[in-house]
Amino acid sequence: MFNLVIFGPPGAGKGTQSAKIIDKYTLAHISTGDMFRMHISQKTELGQRVKQILDDGLLVPDSITIDMLEEEVQNNPDAKGFIFDGFPRTVPQAEALDKFLEGKGEKINLVLQLDVTEAEIKNRIAERKKISGRADDDEEKLLKRIDEYFTKTIHVLPFYQEQGKVVKVNGIGNIEEIFGTICEAIDAAQA
Ligand code: AMP
């Protein structure tokens, strides 16, 4: 198995690059943000519990997020590996993921950090909003989500840096060029 975490602030291009990675490396994509949005649109019990949290741009409690993530991994027993997009966002989530994978004789092989400036993120989110009409991307919520990233999620990086797993990729520029750099990192990690 090859397990990858794609890491970066909201709007860094994680979704775009994940789609390209999945195509090339046939990994199963798990986006906790997409999963929460699906639960909300289908009005499941979980969706009703987390709707307000997503609307406010805050993080869903770890226990809810970890349970949902682990269930999704279990639902994909034939996957050659996973790309975790938007997870882990806190150190307890990262610890839980390591423990969970260890129990299956697996691990995280690579953490790709998409490095972009705050100004670039804001431009990208504004563009994406025009296309997808995502409700959580208005100005106030965007600032909250970026704040959540820089106050909480950023602390996940040292956790993986200590394990020597982080490769930093400049997230600004041409999508294909960024993807090329990502492929080099994946190929090196698989070699
Ligand atoms: P995303 O599409 O990854 O930006 O996620 C959208 C929203 O879903 C976030 O702003 C959070 O409210 C929630 N969310 C997604 N992933 C997580 C996570 N790993 N931990 C906590 N909340 C999450």
Side-chain angles (χ1 to χ4, degrees):
M1 257 197 174
F2 186 79
N3 296 308
L4 173 73
V5 172
I6 189 153
F7 195 86
K14 297 190 295 291
T16 305
Q17 294 298 336
S18 293
K20 297 178 76 63
I21 296 167
I22 294 152
D23 247 18
K24 179 162 176 179
Y25 295 95
T26 54
L27 302 175
H29 182 217
I30 299 188
S31 158
T32 42
D34 284 352
M35 291 179 73
F36 285 132
R37 281 185 288 275
M38 197 199 69
H39 277 283
I40 291 168
S41 71
Q42 294 183 354
K43 297 191 164 56
T44 66
E45 196 194 327
L46 173 60
Q48 286 169 16
R49 275 164 76 195
V50 302
K51 183 177 186 311
Q52 194 59 49
I53 301 173
L54 264 84
D55 279 350
D56 292 341
L58 300 171
L59 292 185
V60 175
D62 285 337
S63 60
I64 296 178
T65 310
I66 291 164
D67 285 353
M68 181 182 76
L69 184 284
E70 292 185 357
E71 195 183 322
E72 185 66 7
V73 171
Q74 301 289 27
N75 286 341
N76 283 276
D78 299 328
K80 282 169 56 185
F82 291 92
I83 171 161
F84 297 103
D85 170 2
F87 185 97
R89 262 174 155 99
T90 64
V91 171
Q93 288 181 16
E95 287 168 346
L97 181 61
D98 266 10
K99 204 170 150 204
F100 174 67
L101 290 176
E102 204 181 301
K104 301 167 78 65
E106 300 293 342
K107 61 177 181 174
I108 292 297
N109 298 88
L110 175 66
V111 177
L112 282 172
Q113 179 196 357
L114 283 178
D115 195 31
V116 296
T117 66
E118 203 167 320
E120 176 74 8
I121 296 163
K122 288 182 183 172
N123 281 339
R124 283 189 182 185
I125 294 204
E127 287 301 313
R128 193 172 64 187
K129 189 176 155 191
K130 280 187 213 155
I131 300 164
S132 74
R134 266 167 58 166
D136 59 340
D137 283 342
D138 66 35
E139 190 67 16
E140 201 183 318
K141 287 169 201 160
L142 162 64
L143 291 175
K144 190 68 217 161
R145 290 170 67 206
I146 291 173
D147 190 51
E148 289 286 85
Y149 176 82
F150 285 105
T151 55
K152 294 185 186 149
T153 304
I154 200 80
H155 300 299
V156 172
L157 271 181
F159 176 87
Y160 286 121
Q161 276 160 346
E162 275 167 27
Q163 298 184 13
K165 289 179 180 166
V166 179
V167 172
K168 190 162 153 177
V169 175
N170 185 355
I172 300 170
N174 179 285
I175 288 175
E176 292 305 327
E177 278 172 25
I178 296 168
F179 183 58
T181 313
I182 285 176
C183 291
E184 282 171 23
I186 294 176
D187 294 342
Q190 286 186 333

